[in-house]
Structures are given as C-alpha cells and as structure tokens.
Amino acid sequence: MAQTGAEQLAKKMQDEVKRLAPQAVFRTDYTSYKDDGVDIYVYAPRKVADMLKGRLKGTLEAELRRVKNTRARLLMEDIENMTPEAKKKYGIPA
C-alpha cells in the first residue's frame, strides 16, 4: 500500500530526529487531519531540544515544499519538565 504524503513526511522527520538526537522520543498523530496532515511530537532533553527544533524546522519546511498539499506541525517537549505519568504514557524512560 502506498504511503500518503503525511506518512512520508513523518518517516523523513523520524529518521532526522534519530540521526540528530538518538535519545529523543518521536511520536506522530494523524487524527487532527483527515489524510493530508500530521502532528509531529518530539520529546528531548532540554540541552538538545532547542538545537533540535532549529534543525528540524528547516527540514520540515523543505519536506512540505516537496510533498504538496500536506500540512504538518512540529511540537517539541522538554523531557525534564514532564510528569512521571506522561513519561509512562509515551514510553519515555524515567
């Protein structure tokens, strides 16, 4: 089965996150959009979150130009400020 543009974009972003920050946790959510968008959540330690967001923003913009008619939102979360319940819910080591 062929991937949608949103799935292709999410896969590219996941590969980039794993390359730049292997300790970061990556999660996608397609429910906010029908078939043409994705919310990308990245959970990373504070010391790499700012650097990661700057690098990923450029990659996201480039991929959005490449994959037409696709919407995406990049959301960063600092692992250090998360509650233990949220860490457990998303599978983040405590």
Side-chain angles (χ1 to χ4, degrees):
M1 186 168 140
Q3 289 184 329
T4 65
E7 290 170 337
Q8 291 173 5
L9 184 131
K11 178 65 176 147
K12 174 72 175 180
M13 293 299 291
Q14 182 178 15
D15 292 343
E16 190 69 9
V17 167
K18 290 300 176 193
R19 184 181 73 79
L20 293 172
Q23 72 274 24
V25 176
F26 183 88
R27 185 173 69 88
T28 57
D29 182 17
Y30 300 97
T31 58
S32 297
Y33 307 96
K34 292 184 177 157
D35 288 332
D36 63 344
V38 60
D39 287 336
I40 299 169
Y41 298 91
V42 179
Y43 305 98
R46 181 180 310 137
K47 57 186 168 186
V48 298
D50 291 334
M51 176 276 304
L52 194 57
K53 186 169 186 171
R55 295 238 180 127
L56 292 177
K57 188 175 178 184
T59 303
L60 180 65
E61 290 172 358
E63 287 299 308
L64 285 173
R65 283 192 299 269
R66 188 182 68 78
V67 182
K68 302 292 183 200
N69 298 323
T70 301
R71 297 180 292 174
R73 202 167 35 171
L74 176 64
L75 305 160
M76 297 290 294
E77 180 72 32
D78 181 9
I79 288 178
E80 296 162 5
N81 290 336
M82 293 178 74
T83 64
E85 293 83 19
K87 286 182 179 182
K88 184 177 178 184
K89 179 179 178 182
Y90 299 125
I92 298 169

